[in-house]
């Protein structure tokens, strides 16, 4: 009986799918005007699920081509298309798409294959890809079309930029406070530091290992958004060579992870959005953000699903994202995301340039956190007051100024090869902000009291060393290394295993960066001691499925950030097998939504 029931279910399933395929209607292949050459593409389904599909396209290039377009037609309407190696220029009812090349891949050589992947999402019946043609101008007659493997029986999903915007998606909400619970990070640090002897910092005369020292180049810059007078003009998204999207040696598509992670930050943008905005449900917002003297404070990122711009965590996010880009630039290029990543980090960096209105004056918050949490709505429709809060000589904030200096110093490295003038601007601001932070010392939340309930700073000494270390990496000026070592020696917690790595706690990051810059055994021992706490058997707890968690509130931020440090340490030859396993396992845990019975939110 059970077998018969299962057989009937299987037959019913097959019949339903057969009916669905037969009922889909494809138009006849188009006729192209004289003078246009065409090549029909080969399409193959890589992965499918209800509501979405991922497919791969391949075109064999019969002659040299300088500029091309593509026609893609589905059997159903309302398909939402996301494709990485072509740009959508026309979308007719989500069924017929016209695309064109980017500047970096407009030239194709005879005998090569043009390959690309796309994601399509939809509701209702699964669409078929009826046909896809590559189109270009040429003198030779069009080649014989290649047989297309008609696609999916089921689909995959991803966001898209089309001419028909998708319906708005309500923003996710977070608990009202974004601070770490009291008696966690700070308290743990205070308890452990008193008992540990501070090691002697290494001498500045030690030889420095090879680091990512940028070399000026004449390649055109790579971002787009125009900002204040201090920022450089918008620059086109180009790459020096066509990226080749590589497949990862994992069941997870790391290329897609990078792509969607960058999209996440684009969704947080405040201010006047650029023409190439890829989030169709986002629009211009907070265009009247101003300082106390009328300074332009538009731009930057919103925070944690809210509409306040908190400079301290924004700067840390920028520093960490930029660090990852500097270390793994070739991976971003291979994934086809190099220019998008530069574009992503330039958005907050432009804002920091605006916010640093004078040498010892930096705006650190725009918006009232309490008022913002009390109202629900879209940032495009905000009507509440948005006060601005700053630090200056009378009310300083060494942590805020130091972290912003670190972000801008790291940014200067990232942009050095493609936009040296912009890199110089960032470096000038970074130097001024570091001097401000070191000369006028105080925690920023003692000056910007409004931030205390959301991002209270536990200490500022780690940001002083962090900023000096990044300035040394950006400039190669030994004075900054000497200052970083001095800050390191002055603050006892640097000699202890770090509690974590986050917007408030930079100890582990400083230990790792100082080891990179000096190769010293002292810093090597310290970062290994910090990472050891996160390995199985250390002080950090593990969930039954393998997430290392320090505290319950915002657990993934600590494990993800530490995973980055572990993977970086492994790449530098430290405990490579153990650190790589830990880092990979933590990230895979966060990607394993299809295997877990609950959703994970990274805050």
């Amino acid at each position: 009986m059970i077998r018969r029931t299962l057989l009937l279910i299987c037959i019913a399933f097959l019949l339903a799918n057969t009916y669905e395929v037969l009922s889909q209607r494809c138009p006849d292949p188009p006729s192209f005007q004289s003078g246009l050459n065409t090549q029909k593409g080969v399409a193959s389904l890589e992965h499918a699920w209800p509501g979405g599909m991922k497919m791969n396209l391949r075109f064999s290039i019969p002659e040299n081509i300088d500029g091309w377009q593509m026609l893609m037609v589905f059997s159903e309407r309302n398909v939402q298309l996301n494709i990485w190696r072509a740009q959508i220029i026309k979308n007719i009812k989500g069924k017929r798409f016209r695309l064109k090349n980017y500047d970096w891949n407009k030239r194709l050589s005879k005998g090569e294959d043009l390959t690309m992947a796309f994601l399509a999402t939809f509701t209702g019946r699964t669409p078929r890809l009826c046909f896809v043609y590559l189109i270009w101008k040429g003198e030779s007659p069009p080649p014989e079309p290649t047989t297309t493997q008609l696609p999916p029986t089921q689909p995959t999903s991803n966001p898209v930029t089309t001419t028909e915007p998708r319906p708005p998606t309500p923003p996710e909400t977070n608990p009202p406070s974004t601070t770490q619970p009291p008696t966690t990070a700070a308290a743990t640090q205070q308890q452990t530091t008193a008992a540990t002897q501070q090691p002697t910092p290494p001498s500045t005369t030690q030889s420095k290992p090879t680091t990512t020292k940028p070399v000026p180049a004449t390649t055109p810059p790579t971002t787009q958004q125009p900002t204040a007078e201090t920022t450089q003009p918008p620059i086109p998204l180009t790459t020096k060579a066509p990226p080749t999207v590589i497949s990862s040696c994992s069941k997870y598509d790391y290329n897609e992870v990078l792509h969607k992670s960058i999209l996440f930050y684009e969704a947080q943008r405040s201010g006047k959005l650029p023409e190439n905005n890829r989030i169709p449900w986002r629009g211009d917002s907070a265009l009247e953000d101003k300082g106390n003297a009328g300074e332009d404070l538009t731009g930057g990122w919103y925070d944690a699903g809210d509409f306040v711009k908190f400079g301290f965590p924004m700067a840390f996010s920028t520093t960490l994202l930029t660090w990852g880009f500097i270390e793994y630039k070739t991976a971003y290029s291979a994934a086809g995301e190099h220019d998008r990543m530069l574009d992503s980090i330039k958005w907050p960096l432009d804002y920091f340039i605006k916010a640093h209105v004078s040498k010892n004056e930096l705006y650190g918050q725009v918006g009232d956190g309490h008022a913002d949490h009390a109202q629900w709505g879209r940032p495009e429709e905000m009507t509440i007051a948005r006060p601005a809060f700053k630090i200056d000589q009378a009310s300083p904030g060494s942590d805020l100024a130091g972290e912003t200096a670190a972000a801008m110093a790291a940014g200067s490295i990232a942009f050095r090869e493609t936009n040296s003038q912009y890199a110089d601007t960032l470096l000038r601001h970074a130097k001024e902000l570091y001097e401000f932070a070191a000369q006028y010392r105080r925690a920023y939340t003692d000056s910007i009291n409004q931030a205390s309930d959301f991002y209270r700073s536990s200490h500022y000494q780690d940001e002083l060393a962090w900023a000096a270390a990044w300035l040394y990496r950006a400039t190669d000026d030994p004075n900054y290394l000497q200052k970083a070592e001095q800050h390191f020696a002055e603050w006892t917690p640097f000699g202890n295993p770090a509690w974590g790595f986050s917007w408030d706690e930079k100890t582990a990051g400083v230990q790792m960066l100082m080891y990179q810059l000096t190769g010293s055994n002292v810093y090597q021992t310290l970062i290994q001691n910090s990472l050891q706490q996160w390995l199985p058997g250390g002080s950090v707890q593990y969930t039954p499925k393998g997430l290392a968690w320090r505290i319950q509130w915002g657990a993934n931020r600590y494990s993800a950030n530490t995973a980055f440090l572990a993977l970086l340490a492994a790449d530098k030859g430290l405990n490579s097998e153990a650190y790589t396993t830990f880092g990979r396992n933590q990230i895979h845990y966060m990607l394993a939504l299809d295997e877990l019975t609950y959703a994970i939110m990274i805050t």
Side-chain angles (χ1 to χ4, degrees):
M1 189 67 169
I2 294 175
R3 289 182 181 176
R4 183 177 296 275
T5 303
L6 291 173
L7 180 60
L8 289 172
I9 292 172
C10 291
I11 292 173
F13 174 80
L14 292 172
L15 286 174
N17 279 271
T18 301
Y19 173 77
E20 180 181 72
V21 171
L22 291 175
S23 64
Q24 294 173 332
R25 301 296 182 185
C26 280
D28 293 330
S31 298
F32 296 95
Q33 69 184 55
S34 176
L36 292 180
N37 288 349
T38 64
Q39 176 77 303
K40 198 173 184 181
V42 175
S44 59
L45 176 65
E46 178 177 324
H47 185 49
W49 61 87
M53 61 187 174
K54 179 177 181 180
M55 299 192 70
N56 296 303
L57 301 177
R58 180 174 59 82
F59 301 90
S60 298
I61 306 305
E63 62 182 38
N64 293 335
I65 296 174
D66 185 9
W68 49 266
Q69 292 192 10
M70 190 189 306
L71 175 65
M72 186 182 299
V73 177
F74 293 88
S75 62
E76 304 291 332
R77 294 182 178 183
N78 299 321
V79 173
Q80 295 175 346
L81 180 67
N82 191 5
I83 190 164
W84 289 274
R85 307 191 74 185
Q87 47 190 327
I88 299 170
I89 57 175
K90 192 171 185 179
N91 172 2
I92 302 177
K93 298 181 179 179
K95 181 174 181 176
R96 187 182 184 96
F97 295 86
R98 193 84 174 200
L99 308 97
K100 65 174 291 187
N101 58 266
Y102 285 101
D103 287 341
W104 54 262
N105 65 356
K106 66 182 294 187
R107 292 183 176 84
L108 306 175
S109 300
K110 180 180 179 180
E112 72 171 293
D113 283 347
L114 173 65
T115 61
M116 64 186 71
F118 71 83
L119 298 177
T121 58
F122 48 85
T123 56
R125 293 190 306 183
T126 301
R128 296 169 59 205
L129 177 57
C130 298
F131 46 77
V132 55
Y133 283 93
L134 191 72
I135 308 164
W136 70 97
K137 292 182 179 180
E139 299 299 326
S140 59
E144 289 296 320
T146 308
T147 303
T148 302
Q149 176 187 334
L150 287 177
T153 55
Q154 280 191 355
T156 18
S157 70
N158 205 8
V160 276
T161 303
T162 66
T163 57
E164 296 181 1
R166 290 179 290 173
T169 302
E172 294 180 352
T173 57
N174 284 332
S177 173
T178 47
T179 46
Q180 296 165 191
T183 75
T184 53
T188 305
Q189 293 260 300
Q190 292 167 359
Q191 291 166 6
T192 55
T193 54
T196 306
Q197 185 69 28
Q198 168 69 18
T200 305
S203 166
T204 57
T205 58
Q206 282 185 283
S207 61
K208 178 184 170 190
T210 303
T211 59
T212 311
K213 182 62 185 166
V215 180
T218 57
T219 320
T222 57
T223 30
Q224 38 48 288
Q225 174 67 4
T227 55
E229 291 181 0
T230 49
T231 11
Q232 302 308 311
I235 42 187
L237 290 172
T238 58
T239 349
K240 288 185 285 188
T244 302
V245 178
I246 55 174
S247 59
S248 58
C249 51
S250 145
K251 65 179 178 179
Y252 301 108
D253 186 343
Y254 295 158
N255 302 306
E256 184 180 358
V257 173
L258 282 178
H259 177 76
K260 288 184 175 178
S261 297
I262 294 172
L263 281 177
F264 170 83
Y265 285 95
E266 289 182 19
Q268 314 310 313
R269 287 177 170 179
S270 177
K272 178 72 175 175
L273 299 187
E275 291 184 0
N276 67 349
N277 169 46
R278 298 187 294 170
I279 311 297
W281 44 268
R282 283 302 322 279
D284 299 343
S285 62
L287 297 181
E288 297 301 318
D289 282 358
K290 298 183 184 301
N292 300 333
E295 302 96 336
D296 176 15
L297 297 180
T298 57
W301 287 329
Y302 292 124
D303 174 77
D306 308 318
F307 307 139
V308 181
K309 295 189 291 197
F310 290 106
F312 191 38
M314 189 195 305
F316 172 71
S317 297
T318 306
T319 307
L320 193 55
L321 290 169
T322 307
W323 193 2
F325 175 79
I326 293 168
E327 298 293 343
Y328 301 108
K329 187 185 301 184
T330 55
Y332 279 93
S333 296
E337 299 292 343
H338 176 280
D339 295 349
R340 287 294 184 188
M341 189 58 182
L342 282 176
D343 189 51
S344 179
I345 60 176
K346 189 173 186 291
W347 195 269
L349 289 171
D350 284 351
Y351 171 74
F352 296 144
I353 292 174
K354 293 180 181 181
H356 186 210
V357 294
S358 67
K359 186 175 181 180
N360 295 332
E361 190 176 8
L362 173 68
Y363 280 92
Q365 180 179 331
V366 179
D368 183 319
H370 298 288
D372 181 85
H373 283 182
Q375 66 109 38
W376 174 258
R378 302 175 65 236
E380 293 82 358
E381 299 167 353
M382 274 192 299
T383 58
I384 61 174
R386 292 179 60 78
F389 305 89
K390 67 179 180 179
I391 55 173
D392 53 25
Q393 290 178 212
S395 301
S398 302
D399 32 21
L400 172 61
E403 184 59 69
T404 310
M408 299 179 96
S412 75
I413 298 172
F415 282 95
R416 180 60 61 188
E417 292 183 1
T418 57
N419 193 343
S420 61
Q421 186 179 0
Y422 185 60
D424 289 342
T425 298
L426 292 171
L427 193 56
R428 174 175 60 80
H429 283 276
K431 291 177 178 179
E432 291 180 357
L433 284 168
Y434 167 71
E435 295 301 328
F436 174 34
Q439 185 174 357
Y440 301 96
R441 300 193 181 190
R442 182 191 291 178
Y444 92 101
T445 44
D446 292 336
S447 297
I448 302 179
N449 296 324
Q450 239 277 339
S452 297
D453 291 337
F454 306 96
Y455 289 100
R456 175 178 289 278
S457 177
S458 303
H459 34 66
Y460 59 78
Q461 292 85 347
D462 49 344
E463 280 84 16
L464 290 176
W466 182 239
W470 273 110
L471 278 164
Y472 175 56
R473 185 164 183 176
T475 64
D476 242 355
D477 183 344
N479 290 323
Y480 286 115
L481 178 58
Q482 183 178 3
K483 290 176 181 179
E485 290 176 330
Q486 181 180 345
H487 295 312
F488 200 98
E490 289 174 349
W491 200 51
T492 305
F494 278 134
N496 301 325
W499 180 89
F501 183 42
S502 72
W503 57 266
D504 185 42
E505 176 54 76
K506 315 296 161 48
T507 299
V510 174
Q511 292 168 342
M512 184 66 230
L513 184 57
M514 292 297 287
Y515 171 68
Q516 278 189 273
L517 297 176
T518 67
S520 164
N521 291 335
V522 173
Y523 298 122
Q524 175 182 337
T525 299
L526 292 175
I527 185 58
Q528 287 182 307
N529 288 345
S530 292
L531 293 175
Q532 186 64 37
Q533 306 304 308
W534 289 79
L535 298 184
S539 63
V540 176
Q541 302 180 71
Y542 276 70
T543 67
K545 288 188 178 289
L547 176 70
W549 62 280
R550 176 62 86 179
I551 57 172
Q552 293 181 346
W553 173 246
N556 284 1
R557 81 180 81 171
Y558 302 105
S559 54
N561 292 346
T562 306
F564 167 72
L565 294 179
L567 293 169
L568 180 57
D571 283 350
K572 304 305 176 185
L574 303 183
N575 204 3
S576 294
E577 184 175 352
Y579 291 166
T580 300
T581 299
F582 166 78
R584 182 184 294 120
N585 288 348
Q586 295 308 299
I587 299 304
H588 284 187
Y589 180 98
M590 298 173 198
L591 297 176
L593 296 180
D594 57 329
E595 300 171 7
L596 304 178
T597 56
Y598 51 88
I600 299 171
M601 179 182 292
I602 301 176
T603 60

